[in-house]
Amino acid sequence: MNLHELHNLQNDPYNYAMGYKKESGKKVVGYFCSYTPEELIFAAAAVPFRIFGTRGNISLADTHLQAYCCSPVRGALEEALSGSLNFLDGVVFPHTCDSIQRLSDIWRLNVPLPFHIDVVLPVKLNSESAREYMTDVLHKFKKDLEKNLKVEITEDSLRHAISLYNKIRGSIKTILDIRQINPSLLKGSDFYSIVKASMIMDRNALVGTLREIIHALEAKKEAPDVILGKRLVLAGAMCNHSDFYQIIEDYGGVVVWDDLCTGSRYFEGQLDPTGDPIASIAERYLSRIECPAKHSGLSTRAEDLLKIVQNKNADGVVFLIQKFCDPHSFDYPYLKKHLDNEGIPNTLIEMEDQASIGERLKTRFEAFLEML
Ligand code: SF4
Ligand code: SF4
């Protein structure tokens, strides 16, 4: 698959998933949140499919959810109630933010998919008991999948999944590393499409696609730099607007790293291929940079963000926060304070999936980048 096809795939994921399902006969399992242990779904011979919601109008979901709920959650429920997700063989909800937890309750009562699994992960991540509890929860998830998909998840299939996911995550990271040296080689919106498509497509085919992209980039490595704008880090929940990256580039910026669900939270962290497979999956969640729906230390998130800015030599941070997203909104003031104390320029952009990026946001970007 080339970049153009990846763009199309992430713009029309249902069509791809239905076609793939028909051709391969494989089960497709929908999931929310980067805390879903995809490796186990893959090891159960199914395809993990991240649900992003709609960018169209919302009406059906409004009968179940208040309007002051984030747009990804309202959009996902809208898609489910409209029947657009009927091709799914089941759905997995990890225990993360309140909105996803409540969505799980509403979904269970109103969306008749063949199965519905809650993965009740720990909230606090930095203790020995959290490690034990996380491992137990993952063992239970394995059993739930085996029962619902009527398969056995063997140690070999889990090891294969771990090795494949290490390849996928490593390849996405390699693409970003190449792009950081010379951003002119790959547009930000292309990188965004690669990450989003990686959460949807057949993972075996994905490995080959990522390899081809890396080869193509390496062949162009010596090309002269064309764009070297202000280096930005994006931080927040998830971004469902690929045009956002284009606007940043149009105004002379370049995204060198992010702390997003549609970015580094998906591909950061390699699994230990030699140890106990379930313990390796748990370890990645315990050691990965956490999102504010989890907790380890009082200032862990700020320290992690400062490290990212320093390591990536960034000029500034753009907080991309979904409207009505409590975890990230509560996190923002203290993160901003830490950045301000270090003299790191930052700005906040509130967005909704259903609203287009208007002139007002463009002007704010332009002003921020000029200020840098
Ligand atoms: S921002 Fe956090 S809680 Fe929300 S979907 Fe991403 S990982 Fe999950
Ligand atoms: S983390 Fe925020 S944006 Fe993501 S699902 Fe939860 S409330 Fe919504």
Side-chain angles (χ1 to χ4, degrees):
M1 235 185 231
N2 59 33
L3 283 173
H4 179 68
E5 288 166 319
L6 288 183
H7 273 299
N8 290 344
L9 187 155
Q10 64 94 8
N11 277 328
D12 188 7
Y14 305 157
N15 213 8
Y16 170 86
M18 285 187 277
Y20 173 73
K21 185 174 164 161
K22 201 167 160 198
E23 261 171 43
S24 68
K26 283 196 171 184
K27 302 264 171 66
V28 179
V29 177
Y31 74 91
F32 290 88
C33 183
S34 73
Y35 281 96
T36 304
E38 270 193 36
E39 300 86 349
L40 280 156
I41 300 173
F42 179 84
V47 184
F49 178 93
R50 173 126 185 197
I51 299 168
F52 287 106
T54 179
R55 287 189 54 189
N57 287 339
I58 292 184
S59 57
L60 303 170
D62 284 342
T63 57
H64 297 276
L65 283 167
Q66 64 278 29
Y68 51 90
C69 184
C70 74
S71 58
V73 159
R74 289 171 68 229
L77 186 61
E78 182 74 17
E79 294 292 70
L81 295 173
S82 71
S84 302
L85 296 173
N86 283 355
F87 65 89
L88 292 176
D89 294 284
V91 69
V92 175
F93 285 86
H95 183 92
T96 50
C97 67
D98 286 353
S99 302
I100 291 183
Q101 288 176 56
R102 296 296 70 81
L103 176 65
S104 172
D105 297 337
I106 296 167
W107 192 293
R108 188 187 289 279
L109 294 173
N110 295 284
V111 184
L113 291 178
F115 70 84
H116 182 122
I117 302 176
D118 288 304
V119 187
V120 190
L121 302 166
V123 174
K124 193 168 181 290
L125 298 181
N126 60 339
S127 68
E128 206 35 55
S129 55
R131 182 183 306 277
E132 269 175 45
Y133 177 65
M134 174 85 84
T135 313
D136 286 351
V137 169
L138 293 177
H139 275 290
K140 178 175 182 305
F141 180 45
K142 174 175 172 285
K143 280 194 192 135
D144 287 345
L145 281 173
E146 286 176 325
K147 187 172 140 218
N148 285 291
L149 290 168
K150 299 184 180 49
V151 289
E152 187 192 354
I153 301 176
T154 62
E155 182 160 339
D156 276 355
S157 64
L158 256 180
R159 289 202 185 281
H160 172 61
I162 284 179
S163 146
L164 186 115
Y165 271 87
N166 277 345
K167 273 189 206 142
I168 291 172
R169 294 184 179 123
S171 299
I172 301 175
K173 172 109 186 346
T174 302
I175 293 169
L176 186 55
D177 286 343
I178 296 173
R179 186 173 183 269
Q180 279 182 65
I181 296 168
N182 184 351
S184 68
L185 295 179
L186 186 77
K187 286 200 250 164
S189 51
D190 287 336
F191 182 71
Y192 167 87
S193 287
I194 291 169
V195 180
K196 263 187 107 173
S198 300
M199 303 180 204
I200 294 161
M201 71 184 279
D202 161 32
R203 304 306 195 268
N204 288 310
L206 174 64
V207 173
T209 298
L210 294 173
R211 196 183 311 121
E212 280 165 26
I213 294 171
I214 292 172
H215 285 160
L217 290 176
E218 279 175 341
K220 293 196 290 183
K221 242 181 180 172
E222 302 308 320
D225 295 357
V226 179
I227 317 164
L228 270 180
K230 294 293 176 189
R231 299 169 66 84
L232 299 179
V233 169
L234 301 183
M238 62 191 85
C239 176
N240 282 331
H241 286 275
S242 64
D243 39 353
F244 204 80
Y245 290 80
Q246 190 56 50
I247 291 166
I248 290 178
E249 286 170 8
D250 287 348
Y251 288 114
V254 57
V255 178
V256 289
W257 195 262
D258 68 61
D259 179 29
L260 295 177
C261 231
T262 42
S264 71
R265 272 202 285 286
Y266 186 68
F267 63 81
E268 270 265 89
Q270 289 278 301
L271 296 152
D272 175 5
T274 57
D276 172 71
I278 297 271
S280 303
I281 296 170
E283 186 55 42
R284 175 169 175 265
Y285 287 133
L286 295 167
S287 54
R288 190 183 69 167
I289 289 184
E290 70 202 19
C291 107
K294 299 285 167 207
H295 177 76
S296 54
L298 278 181
S299 55
T300 310
R301 290 229 349 116
E303 285 156 22
D304 287 339
L305 186 56
L306 287 174
K307 260 187 235 151
I308 292 174
V309 172
Q310 280 152 9
N311 293 343
K312 303 300 168 193
N313 201 14
D315 298 302
V317 172
V318 177
F319 289 98
L320 265 190
I321 298 190
Q322 292 277 356
K323 215 169 169 186
F324 306 121
C325 168
D326 283 353
H328 286 274
S329 302
F330 285 131
D331 218 31
Y332 166 70
Y334 112 93
L335 291 180
K336 176 175 172 47
K337 194 170 152 204
H338 276 75
L339 292 178
D340 288 347
N341 288 346
E342 296 296 321
I344 297 164
N346 58 86
T347 190
L348 167 67
I349 305 281
E350 247 194 346
M351 60 199 312
E352 279 190 295
D353 290 354
Q354 290 75 34
S356 65
I357 296 180
E359 289 308 312
R360 191 179 57 87
L361 280 190
K362 289 183 189 168
T363 311
R364 288 206 31 211
F365 254 123
E366 192 177 12
F368 180 62
L369 284 157
E370 266 175 21
M371 187 263 283
L372 293 177

